Amino acid sequence: MHTQMDLIVFYIGSYTKTISPEIVGKGEGIYTVELNNETGELKLLHVESTVNPSYLVVDKHNKFLYCNTEVISKEAPKVKAYRIKNDFSLELCNELPIKGGFPCHIEKIENHILVSCYETGNLLQFTLDKRGCLSDCVTNHKHSGSSVNKERQEGPHVHQVAIRPKTQEIYACDLGTDIINGYVFENDYLKPKTELDIAVKKGGGPRHMVFSKNGEFAYAVNELTGEVSILKACDGVLQQVGTMNSLPDHYQDIPSASAIRMHHNNKYLYVANRKWDAITIFKVEGEQLQLIDHTVTGGKELREFNITPNGKWLIACHQDSHDTIVYLIEKDGTLTQKFATKAMKTPVCVAFLN
């Protein structure tokens, strides 16, 4: 994490163009933002113009930022590598085409970049050269199958990959098939390992997942039901051992869960829901989740949030009302709003320096 005079620098991705009736982009690209670690105030530093950088990842040495341009396959989406300059602005290193559509998530592990494509239901592996720039697309795994929600699960929709601590296994959340697909690296190539696949409750639509620090537990948020799948390692293999609804009993609209994060202290789990636009806070109690609180965020389309590396702040992004809200995380895990701004339009991702 970069701190200078108690300042934390991070990046926000945005939608810059409309890609569906639900996603009307008005952003400018990738925003470099400064957080005052004492007050929670945000200050916009730089903007890097690019098309729909909807998800971002920063390398552990804070030298590179990687992003996808989320557009349909016929509009030729790209994966991009940027150098992080001394003033935290970005300089394009290079870009490569993505053979897929609506690339909605990107992750880095060692010298690999993994891109999840929602429209086409595939997972791509790119390699990096010694400088940190993109080298080549070496694997392209196409998922298959469907599930019970005929409107949203007519085919595979890969939404995110997560890295299991300790083992470095890769898990790909497929909203369309209700399967979290397991992968491993063999000789630097990503390979499916079907015995690691996790079936979640039918109709759930797994969107994102997070792990406990030791990798023995994982939690997957299901977009289509708002439920959290609780996963536990049994003989080393993750299995669903329970579910917890992140929506209150009185909620009657169609669920649209959007994001999940584990606090760095491993004690609290946070889940975002759109339409209701609130963050649900759970305390982790062994195999159980205990509901602590619901924090209504007051914006529209709560797409994403993230927790600062020091565990002090939670930053939430509202796609449609253009609000970025800063919450202080209290000792009991609850949230207290400290700052809000509309400086970043259509914000949908928060990526911190390490």
Side-chain angles (χ1 to χ4, degrees), residues 53-184:
S54 66
Y55 221 87
L56 318 170
V57 64
V58 177
D59 83 301
K60 65 181 179 181
H61 302 296
N62 297 328
K63 292 183 177 180
F64 279 85
L65 178 146
Y66 305 91
C67 80
N68 44 264
T69 65
E70 188 176 345
V71 293
I72 58 175
S73 53
K74 68 180 182 181
E75 292 184 15
K78 295 178 175 65
V79 56
K80 296 189 171 192
Y82 291 93
R83 292 184 188 88
I84 298 175
K85 297 165 75 173
N86 289 337
D87 65 353
F88 308 107
S89 63
L90 301 174
E91 177 183 55
L92 182 65
C93 178
N94 69 337
E95 61 185 37
L96 290 176
I98 292 172
K99 293 179 181 177
F102 286 156
C104 58
H105 188 269
I106 188 167
E107 183 60 277
K108 181 180 186 294
I109 177 170
E110 296 175 352
N111 66 326
H112 311 287
I113 295 293
L114 305 178
V115 175
S116 303
C117 291
Y118 181 89
E119 177 199 349
T120 44
N122 57 321
L123 171 61
L124 301 100
Q125 174 197 357
F126 294 85
T127 55
L128 301 172
D129 63 23
K130 291 180 180 178
R131 298 171 300 163
C133 298
L134 295 155
S135 176
D136 196 16
C137 179
V138 293
T139 64
N140 183 354
H141 297 285
K142 183 77 170 74
H143 287 194
S144 62
S146 58
S147 195
V148 297
N149 185 322
K150 300 307 179 188
E151 186 177 340
R152 295 292 309 279
Q153 296 181 310
E154 80 298 338
H157 295 299
V158 185
H159 220 305
Q160 180 234 24
V161 297
I163 304 163
R164 186 178 180 187
K166 313 281 191 189
T167 69
Q168 301 296 283
E169 294 162 354
I170 304 298
Y171 289 86
C173 292
D174 195 319
L175 181 146
T177 63
D178 288 324
I179 300 289
I180 300 172
N181 297 81
Y183 289 86
V184 294

Side-chain angles (χ1 to χ4, degrees), residues 174-205:
D174 195 319
L175 181 146
T177 63
D178 288 324
I179 300 289
I180 300 172
N181 297 81
Y183 289 86
V184 294
F185 281 98
E186 292 180 6
N187 300 319
D188 275 348
Y189 290 93
L190 193 67
K191 303 283 188 182
K193 193 168 183 179
T194 54
E195 54 263 47
L196 297 179
D197 289 358
I198 307 161
V200 300
K201 196 169 164 184
K202 290 291 185 185

